Amino acid sequence: MASSLDEKRPFVKTEPGLNEIPVPAAAVPSRPAAPRVPRWAQILLKVALVTWFWVSVRTWARANVDVVLEAHEAQWLATAFSGSVEDHHVWRSRKILFGKKAEQKFLSVPNAPSAVAASRQYATKPHMAGTPGDFDTAVDFLKLLQTEFGAAVPTALPIYSAGTPESRNATLGITKLKAPTAWIDTYYPVMNTPLDHSLEILDDDGNSVWTAALEEVADDTDPEAGKYYDAITTWHGLSRGGSAKGKLVYANYGRKEDFDDLVAKGVDLNGTIVIARYGGNFRGLKVKGAQEHGAVACLIYSDPRDDGTVTAENGYAAYPHGPARNPNSVQRGSTQFLSIYPGDPTTPGYPSYENSTRTNGTNIPSIPSLPLSWANAQKLLEELKDGGLNRTISLVNNVDDKVIPIWNTIGVIPGHIKDEVVVVGNHRDAWVMGASDPSSGTSSIHEVIRGLGELLRNGWTPLRTIVIASWDAEEYGLIGSTEWGEDFAGWIDEHVVAYLNLDSSVSGSRFRALATPSLAHFVRGIAEEIEHPTKAGKTLWDATKDSGVLTGDHIDPEVLAAHEASEVEASADSTGVGLLGSGSDFTVFVQRAGVASNNIGFQSTLQDPVYHYHSVFDSERWMEMYGDPGFGRHVAIAKHLGLQTVRLADSIVLPINTTHHALELQHYLNKVESIASTTALDVDFSGLRGAIHSLQKASAKLDTEKTRAEKKLRKLLRRLAVRHLVRRNIRRSLCRLRKVLGKECTHHGIAPAALPAALPAHAEKAFECSSMAKGGKNGFLPFQPRVGRAPAWAKEQRGREEGEHGHGKKPSFPAKKFRKAAQRVRAVNQKLKAFERGFIHEEGIKDREWYRNLDIAPGKWLGYGATTFPALTEAFTIEKNATMAQYEAKRLQQLIEKLAHEIKV
């Protein structure tokens, strides 16, 4: 029985006995075990998969990061630099103009028809400083700023008397503004206006044998010139009133060397009337030279020899029938001693308020003067020819000296970095109509303002604040800009990072750029980006080699030699950008405040149609027919100036090249040493040379730091853009998945229907980062997911608000890192801003202490032209004093050593 049971249970194993080997109840073949994957290989595979996924995501993200930056870079930078989100707008889903997109948008705006219309608005009627016509242009410019910038328009015109709380607060409050604004400041300088004048040749009995027709003569061939030829008489602004009689003495250009030559020849100038031609130096210094040599009056005329090849001798007809000089044209202008100090003669160094204490001006003549046409000068020069009678000349110049109100029009576009300001200026007043000087500049800046207005309407806000200034009374002696600069010297020193000047945009065919050396590369670089106004395939910078096409066989050798010498001087800087002396509104910024500045424009050459400077023939007809047919040059200048403005305002690191300037100092010292070698003066320059080398080393290190600081900030921007892009697309993918599953796509865990009614309009864009939001880790990445319904959302919002006010956690990445990187950039920019300030010495230059820049200043006997190391150079060339030269070398050395320490990183 048992055996049968065992047969029936073949798969039942019996207990083995002792010493028996267990045998399976049945032999079931087993499968061979799969080879086991080593643990290291599993880890490697996982790492490879993760790496592949990460690289794929990163590659995809980087391919799209520029799109994200284009939309949000401006907002992120704004929060990083401003340190506050309180004044920012709500989160924006649309792109914000910034960088190259903003520049391209700007460049699409300036155009010739609009520039022509602006020129005709300003240049078809007289608007001398302080006249009703001048006031009308101030109001016109105010309305332009209000319209284009979207500034509030008060019921009454915002015209503030300088020195009043309204005027003071308007400028001092610029760094607190949240919206564009514009106003007019009224200053009260002492100027003068003409009463009557005359010029006669007298016989031996004192009877008049010839009387000059001093006014310009014009007809309706030029409509405005024919209408206004006698609206503003021919005279010199700030000239001394009175009369004089004396014999004529010809003084060529009336330069220092011309008077020295007369003295060397034994010519006695006491009691004489000097006659000199325009050119070579500032007209006021011609009068100063005559005055200091004992002359009783000075006459200054326009000589066709200085017109190059465009003369009647070469067959060219006179304007208005051709491009040559109208022999009746007269150059008006100020006879202020510009190289002593500019501005109101009676308030040197301080602003001209209505109730200001006045002094006797020391920068104005003590002898009368008159400007003359070539037609009148010819008659007088005949008196001096061999066989000439050299009869007595009688001159009368009666003027009315008085306080005359002038009007600076100011407009502001607030930026995110409110305490860094870019100022752009152009003077508005003209001696008559001034189609070139200054209305070509006004026309170009009109186009700049239109371009900035278009950017504002498209959501752009500059990183830095922009101030646009329309200065008044520049023609009398840079008065409007100087008074404002003296009024707000402390504010300028603290906040202004650069000043961009525009005087005349166009008077000829050659582009000319002047700048403090630290902005030379910046100015040239932008000119290389702008298209040439008349030659396809060339750039604006190529126009620095352009000349007119009106050639001729006859040209004065002295004029040609002087022109060639000026060309050499202009190209002395390796960039081809010239230096700023004086003669326009950059003066107070460069020479008094130490602000990096520049000035651009097209100038006349010896082959261009003759530019009738400060004449009634500087008219709209001349400009449209000869000066700039088609207005392409006006537009090119507008594009260059506007691109400078946008780029300076929006650049992370200021485009100020301290190293180029520091290297140029070596050339300035070499020049002084060359001058010294021609004298018997023994001066040691080793200390100064050592200081310059120290500054160059400090500047090179600053270059490294500014590169690293910007690179770090840009790296954070790209990292933030990648992070933003990845998170946004993850959220979108999850949203699509929920929709596939038939569920609603929630907003951070809250269904749309459950969102509270008071949910901010920007909430649905919470993953689109913006510095404009009130919330989201101080304006950055509000990525913390929300769960629950409205109560949870409200609780989180309260937490955010507490954090914003300092009661919550410290900001996590990227806010903290961004702020740190931005602070590093700000520190660099402060050093860049301080560089030009480093050449300012409170004691100024000997005999003209208003000028404080020991690096570059107008030459004492030049007025316009720049002299490098002016105090030191003039210790050799004018004072000829070794002790003074050594003192000036030491003073300059100490300034440069201090500056090297200040920019050290």
Side-chain angles (χ1 to χ4, degrees):
M1 188 73 179
S3 61
S4 62
L5 286 171
D6 290 339
E7 290 174 0
K8 292 179 181 178
R9 296 182 296 176
F11 296 105
V12 177
K13 180 177 73 172
T14 58
E15 290 293 328
L18 293 173
N19 300 320
E20 291 184 3
I21 298 174
V23 178
V28 180
S30 60
R31 297 176 182 176
R36 188 171 181 179
V37 178
R39 183 171 180 77
W40 65 267
Q42 294 178 34
I43 294 172
L44 185 62
L45 180 61
K46 291 177 182 178
V47 169
L49 287 171
V50 170
T51 302
W52 172 82
F53 176 76
W54 178 246
V55 170
S56 298
V57 170
R58 293 279 291 182
T59 302
W60 164 81
R62 284 172 177 168
N64 293 275
V65 72
D66 288 339
V67 177
V68 177
L69 282 174
E70 183 183 323
H72 301 297
E73 181 181 13
Q75 301 172 26
W76 294 338
L77 283 173
T79 293
F81 279 110
S82 68
S84 171
V85 296
E86 294 177 359
D87 61 341
H88 293 160
H89 304 296
V90 298
W91 294 63
R92 302 177 183 182
S93 58
R94 61 190 176 90
K95 296 176 181 178
I96 304 301
L97 276 177
F98 188 71
K100 290 296 181 184
K101 291 290 184 181
E103 292 178 3
Q104 291 166 6
K105 186 70 174 178
F106 171 85
L107 291 174
S108 70
V109 175
N111 64 78
S114 178
V116 170
S119 182
R120 291 175 179 176
Q121 177 184 2
Y122 289 97
T124 54
K125 54 185 178 296
H127 50 288
M128 187 177 76
T131 64
D134 178 41
F135 176 77
D136 290 343
T137 62
V139 174
D140 288 345
F141 202 88
L142 173 68
K143 291 177 179 177
L144 172 68
L145 293 169
Q146 291 172 332
T147 300
E148 291 297 334
F149 293 172
V153 181
T155 304
L157 284 174
I159 301 176
Y160 310 135
S161 181
T164 63
E166 293 83 0
S167 174
R168 300 285 298 164
N169 292 338
T171 292
L172 297 178
I174 285 174
T175 55
K176 298 181 179 65
L177 290 174
K178 298 181 180 180
T181 189
W183 70 93
I184 295 174
D185 277 324
T186 306
Y187 286 91
Y188 300 89
V190 169
M191 303 193 299
N192 58 17
T193 54
L195 295 174
D196 60 86
H197 58 186
S198 65
L199 181 66
E200 298 174 310
I201 297 176
L202 306 179
D203 62 19
D204 292 339
D205 296 324
N207 300 313
S208 174
V209 296
W210 175 80
T211 300
L214 294 175
E215 307 308 329
E216 295 178 290
V217 179
D219 58 31
D220 291 338
T221 306
D222 183 325
E224 284 77 38
K227 183 177 181 180
Y228 296 116
Y229 71 92
D230 61 351
I232 309 265
T233 193
T234 56
W235 70 301
H236 283 143
L238 296 180
S239 59
R240 173 67 63 181
S243 60
K245 293 179 182 179
K247 300 290 187 179
L248 280 179
V249 173
Y250 176 70
N252 196 23
Y253 286 112
R255 299 165 299 187
K256 182 179 184 299
E257 55 264 39
D258 292 321
F259 285 110
D260 289 345
D261 185 55
L262 288 172
V263 171
K265 291 177 179 177
V267 178
D268 184 5
L269 293 172
N270 284 297
T272 64
I273 294 179
V274 167
I275 183 168
R277 55 174 166 155
Y278 278 113
N281 61 352
F282 184 68
R283 74 186 68 79
L285 299 181
K286 300 176 192 292
V287 181
K288 185 175 189 290
Q291 170 183 308
E292 292 186 356
H293 285 85
V296 293
C298 185
L299 299 169
I300 313 175
Y301 72 97
S302 301
D303 195 319
R305 285 184 294 169
D306 295 299
D307 297 335
T309 58
V310 191
T311 60
E313 186 180 11
N314 282 320
Y316 293 103
Y319 187 80
H321 305 293
R325 177 175 300 281
N326 185 308
N328 295 300
S329 66
V330 178
Q331 181 189 136
R332 298 160 183 80
S334 173
T335 51
Q336 179 190 71
F337 301 162
L338 185 60
S339 58
I340 305 303
Y341 63 90
D344 180 355
T346 68
T347 60
Y350 59 96
S352 53
Y353 297 158
E354 194 168 14
N355 60 351
S356 288
T357 301
R358 308 283 175 175
T359 65
N360 292 322
T362 59
N363 68 337
I364 50 178
S366 60
I367 62 173
S369 65
L370 283 176
L372 297 180
S373 67
W374 171 237
N376 284 326
Q378 281 180 289
K379 181 67 175 177
L380 295 178
L381 293 174
E382 288 176 1
E383 296 288 311
L384 297 176
K385 289 181 179 178
D386 289 340
L389 300 177
N390 194 13
R391 291 169 286 191
T392 300
I393 305 300
S394 173
L395 174 152
V396 174
N397 178 55
N398 289 323
V399 296
D400 184 13
D401 297 306
K402 58 186 175 182
V403 172
I404 300 175
I406 61 171
W407 304 278
N408 290 336
T409 304
I410 311 287
V412 182
I413 302 174
H416 297 297
I417 307 176
K418 298 185 180 301
D419 61 350
E420 292 182 7
V421 180
V422 176
V423 181
V424 184
N426 160 251
H427 81 89
R428 189 188 63 255
D429 64 300
W431 281 116
V432 192
M433 295 170 292
S436 173
D437 183 13
S439 297
S440 62
T442 307
S443 173
S444 292
I445 209 167
H446 176 277
E447 294 304 285
V448 171
I449 292 167
R450 288 181 57 248
L452 296 177
E454 182 67 14
L455 294 183
L456 291 172
R457 287 187 288 274
N458 280 271
W460 174 76
T461 298
L463 204 55
R464 295 178 181 85
T465 292
I466 297 171
V467 171
I468 305 288
S470 176
W471 308 119
D472 203 358
E474 187 270 357
E475 297 293 5
Y476 273 89
L478 323 180
I479 293 178
S481 58
T482 299
E483 299 312 307
W484 189 80
E486 292 173 342
D487 201 358
F488 298 104
W491 184 88
I492 291 170
D493 181 61
E494 185 176 359
H495 298 300
V496 176
V497 299
Y499 174 70
L500 310 180
N501 191 65
L502 187 59
D503 200 307
S504 299
S505 286
V506 185
S507 62
S509 62
R510 178 165 295 178
F511 178 70
R512 184 86 168 96
L514 306 173
T516 50
S518 60
L519 284 181
H521 283 92
F522 175 66
V523 174
R524 174 168 178 164
I526 289 180
E528 290 174 340
E529 296 179 36
I530 304 295
E531 63 275 11
H532 193 289
T534 60
K535 299 177 182 177
K538 291 188 175 294
T539 69
L540 178 59
W541 185 254
D542 292 325
T544 58
K545 304 299 182 183
D546 285 357
S547 291
V549 297
L550 306 179
T551 59
D553 296 330
H554 304 285
I555 187 169
D556 184 81
E558 183 182 8
V559 170
L560 183 60
H563 176 74
E564 291 172 347
S566 68
E567 292 294 296
V568 172
E569 184 71 22
S571 59
D573 188 295
S574 58
T575 62
V577 175
L579 298 174
L580 294 167
S582 186
S584 195
D585 292 304
F586 55 76
T587 301
V588 71
F589 294 93
V590 175
Q591 307 298 345
R592 188 84 176 167
V595 175
S597 305
N598 65 54
N599 184 81
I600 58 172
F602 281 89
Q603 296 181 356
S604 184
T605 71
L606 296 179
Q607 293 80 35
D608 278 312
V610 173
Y611 165 44
H612 295 79
Y613 184 45
H614 291 177
S615 162
V616 74
F617 299 115
D618 181 8
S619 64
E620 187 66 22
R621 179 183 181 273
W622 180 87
M623 180 59 72
E624 294 186 24
M625 181 174 288
Y626 293 110
D628 188 17
F631 271 54
R633 295 184 180 109
H634 285 72
V635 172
I637 293 298
K639 289 181 177 181
H640 189 284
L641 180 63
L643 197 52
Q644 282 193 79
T645 304
V646 173
R647 199 164 288 178
L648 267 167
D650 279 350
S651 60
I652 291 176
V653 171
L654 289 167
I656 293 175
N657 189 336
T658 59
T659 296
H660 174 66
H661 196 155
L663 292 171
E664 286 299 303
L665 299 181
Q666 191 74 41
H667 300 306
Y668 303 165
L669 180 54
N670 291 343
K671 189 174 180 179
V672 172
E673 287 186 321
S674 177
I675 293 171
S677 68
T678 65
T679 72
L681 306 182
D682 183 20
V683 178
D684 180 14
F685 297 111
S686 60
L688 177 55
R689 191 173 295 280
I692 292 172
H693 288 160
S694 297
L695 181 62
Q696 291 169 351
K697 291 178 182 178
S699 182
K701 291 180 180 179
L702 179 59
D703 284 344
T704 301
E705 171 61 12
K706 71 182 184 183
T707 300
R708 290 175 177 172
E710 181 167 2
K711 184 178 180 180
K712 176 65 175 178
L713 186 54
R714 289 197 178 279
K715 184 178 180 180
L716 286 174
L717 281 171
R718 296 191 71 83
R719 186 184 300 174
L720 177 55
V722 169
R723 180 175 178 178
H724 169 80
L725 190 63
V726 170
R727 293 197 177 196
R728 185 187 67 184
N729 281 276
I730 289 174
R731 179 177 176 273
R732 287 178 177 176
S733 298
L734 291 175
C735 188
R736 292 190 192 102
L737 180 61
R738 291 184 66 86
K739 288 181 178 178
V740 169
L741 297 175
K743 297 182 179 181
E744 275 192 290
C745 186
T746 60
H747 175 80
H748 296 280
I750 308 172
L755 288 172
L759 188 65
H762 66 267
E764 293 185 7
K765 296 294 180 183
F767 275 90
E768 298 198 14
C769 299
S770 165
S771 67
M772 303 302 181
K774 184 176 182 180
K777 299 183 182 180
N778 292 293
F780 294 104
L781 299 179
F783 292 138
Q784 182 180 343
R786 299 190 178 98
V787 292
R789 299 174 72 82
W793 175 84
K795 181 178 179 181
E796 185 181 315
Q797 287 297 105
R798 286 194 299 272
R800 289 185 185 281
E801 291 172 3
E802 288 175 1
E804 286 175 9
H805 290 87
H807 303 301
K809 294 180 180 179
K810 292 182 178 179
S812 61
F813 177 82
K816 184 177 180 180
K817 290 185 178 180
F818 256 82
R819 297 265 162 72
K820 185 176 180 180
Q823 288 168 0
R824 184 179 180 184
V825 169
R826 289 288 298 268
V828 166
N829 284 336
Q830 285 300 308
K831 293 180 184 298
L832 294 174
K833 183 188 78 169
F835 188 82
E836 295 293 341
R837 267 82 161 169
F839 297 106
I840 299 299
H841 196 289
E842 288 300 313
E843 294 179 9
I845 300 172
K846 182 181 180 295
D847 296 335
R848 47 199 187 112
E849 288 73 18
W850 188 94
Y851 287 92
R852 295 177 173 176
N853 194 325
L854 298 191
D855 177 37
I856 300 170
K860 186 174 183 179
W861 285 101
L862 294 176
Y864 291 128
T867 296
T868 53
F869 287 178
L872 177 57
T873 297
E874 290 170 359
F876 288 99
T877 60
I878 296 176
E879 303 298 333
K880 301 181 179 4
N881 185 313
T883 302
M884 181 176 293
Q886 194 66 68
Y887 167 76
E888 293 296 350
K890 185 66 175 179
R891 193 160 65 124
L892 194 52
Q893 174 189 335
Q894 291 171 344
L895 268 187
I896 293 174
E897 287 173 344
K898 181 180 178 183
L899 177 56
H901 178 75
E902 190 167 350
I903 68 169
K904 187 180 292 185
V905 292

